[in-house]
Amino acid sequence: MEGINKTTKIQFFFRPFSPDPEVQLVIFVAFLVMYLTSLSGNATIAVLVQLNYSLHTPMYFFLAILAVLEIFYTSSIAPLALANLLSMGQTPVSIIGCGTQMFFFVFLGGADCVLLAVMAYDRFIAICYPLRYTLIMSWSFCVELAVGSLMLGFLLSLPLTILIFGLPFCHSNEIYHFYCDMPAVMRLACADTHIHETALYIISFIVLSIPLTLISISYVFIVMAILRIQSTEGRHRAFSTCSSHISVVLLQYGCTSFIYLSPSSSYSPEMGRIVSVVYTFITPILNPLIYSMRNKELKDALRKALRKF
């Protein structure tokens, strides 16, 4: 009971990026700019899809859901990270607050990964079975796929968060990170974490490998279908609808695999923190840029919206 009381009273702090306040201020400004850019970019895509009837298709429906997920995903990290950058790591977070942040981060990140697989399936049906596309990708089925992505993210996040915060924390309370990431928090536990690390690795492997395998299989069939298209213009149009998605998949899965599928013995807190900046701040900025630059319908909708102002 005494151990539980000690754990519940613990407050965590995040290690500053630099002991120099001026360097911390520069990093704060960079993080703030990235956060605001991410919010505005993803919000723009979500609003464009909602307001333009021509974009009311399954592909853009899933893109809008992805944009909304990115907004909440980044917002689960950014405010606390920004506060700690300004306070030189002196802003405390309770163990409940840390657990809540971890839950939403894993929940939204997991749903994000599953949704990318759903988007690959949508492109597979559109290119390989164009005549049956409307019948297969009905609106009710699209909603079920989107809700299913959220449910899988939730079912992944809840047990992992409970598992990690069931550990006792009674020594160091400085997290070598800028948010409550699972590997960084587990390093502070004053108990054997081998079972927890194994569980994290297995679940991460399943969550990352299964959607990535489905995405890869989808694109094998997509490429085969594109190569059968006679006209160069037709092949280019078909490939352009997939190239943006492929770019986002490589960014998302590449960074998360580096963090969660690397052996715990080779885990570097400093490298983990740097790579995490990529998929928590930079990737949510790149997603709307990649889609808007490579998608003619989205660019046209944006031009029409800008002309009205």
Side-chain angles (χ1 to χ4, degrees):
M1 181 63 73
E2 184 180 350
I4 294 173
N5 288 337
K6 284 183 179 179
T7 298
T8 55
K9 292 177 182 178
I10 282 180
Q11 288 187 318
F12 292 117
F13 296 86
F14 300 105
R15 179 175 295 191
F17 280 87
S18 169
D20 187 341
E22 292 184 359
V23 174
Q24 282 283 105
L25 183 60
V26 171
I27 297 172
F28 167 82
V29 172
F31 272 44
L32 180 61
V33 170
M34 287 190 291
Y35 178 49
L36 294 178
T37 304
S38 170
L39 287 183
S40 58
N42 284 292
T44 298
I45 285 184
V47 171
L48 281 176
V49 172
Q50 175 65 29
L51 296 181
N52 286 268
Y53 183 77
S54 61
L55 300 181
H56 289 185
T57 64
M59 178 176 127
Y60 292 107
F61 169 72
F62 293 129
L63 180 57
I65 297 293
L66 180 67
V68 173
L69 278 178
E70 294 284 15
I71 290 172
F72 286 105
Y73 174 74
T74 311
S75 297
S76 69
I77 301 296
L80 188 58
L82 291 169
N84 273 277
L85 282 166
L86 273 184
S87 66
M88 292 294 293
Q90 296 304 307
T91 300
V93 56
S94 67
I95 196 164
I96 294 175
C98 193
T100 301
Q101 185 187 61
M102 182 183 292
F103 168 78
F104 281 105
F105 171 73
V106 178
F107 164 42
L108 296 167
D112 202 322
C113 289
V114 177
L115 188 64
L116 287 173
V118 169
M119 294 172 76
Y121 175 74
D122 171 67
R123 292 299 84 208
F124 162 69
I125 298 297
I127 293 172
C128 297
Y129 301 99
L131 299 179
R132 297 173 58 193
Y133 179 72
T134 305
L135 179 65
I136 296 173
M137 299 302 294
S138 64
W139 279 113
S140 59
F141 184 52
C142 290
V143 171
E144 288 171 4
L145 289 172
V147 172
S149 300
L150 294 172
M151 288 299 297
L152 286 173
F154 177 84
L155 293 174
L156 159 72
S157 180
L158 188 60
L160 271 179
T161 306
I162 292 173
L163 183 69
I164 291 174
F165 283 91
L167 288 165
F169 299 95
C170 47
H171 295 306
S172 172
N173 63 345
E174 184 184 57
I175 300 174
Y176 200 134
H177 219 300
F178 59 90
Y179 67 93
C180 293
D181 195 23
M182 288 178 287
V185 172
M186 275 196 294
R187 291 172 70 89
L188 303 184
C190 51
D192 184 16
T193 61
H194 282 93
I195 294 176
H196 301 74
E197 289 170 3
T198 302
L200 174 60
Y201 183 87
I202 292 172
I203 293 175
S204 299
F205 179 79
I206 292 171
V207 169
L208 291 172
S209 63
I210 291 179
L212 188 56
T213 300
L214 294 174
I215 291 170
S216 302
I217 293 171
S218 296
Y219 276 108
V220 168
F221 286 104
I222 287 171
V223 170
M224 291 170 61
I226 290 175
L227 293 176
R228 287 197 297 267
I229 297 175
Q230 297 298 321
S231 68
T232 304
E233 184 183 348
R235 285 198 298 268
H236 177 74
R237 189 185 303 113
F239 181 74
S240 66
T241 64
C242 302
S243 58
S244 302
H245 181 259
I246 293 172
S247 302
V248 172
V249 166
L250 291 175
L251 279 169
Q252 183 75 12
Y253 279 88
C255 293
T256 50
S257 296
F258 180 86
I259 297 295
Y260 296 107
L261 297 184
S262 298
S264 58
S265 57
S266 64
Y267 176 77
S268 166
E270 188 61 39
M271 183 58 69
R273 186 162 63 168
I274 292 170
V275 174
S276 295
V277 172
V278 175
Y279 67 80
T280 56
F281 280 92
I282 297 177
T283 302
I285 294 173
L286 294 178
N287 286 357
L289 286 176
I290 289 170
Y291 277 108
S292 60
M293 286 190 297
R294 297 190 179 184
N295 191 294
K296 184 178 182 299
E297 290 178 317
L298 206 57
K299 285 192 288 188
D300 290 343
L302 182 59
R303 290 193 194 99
K304 289 178 182 177
L306 292 175
R307 288 195 199 104
K308 293 179 180 178
F309 288 99

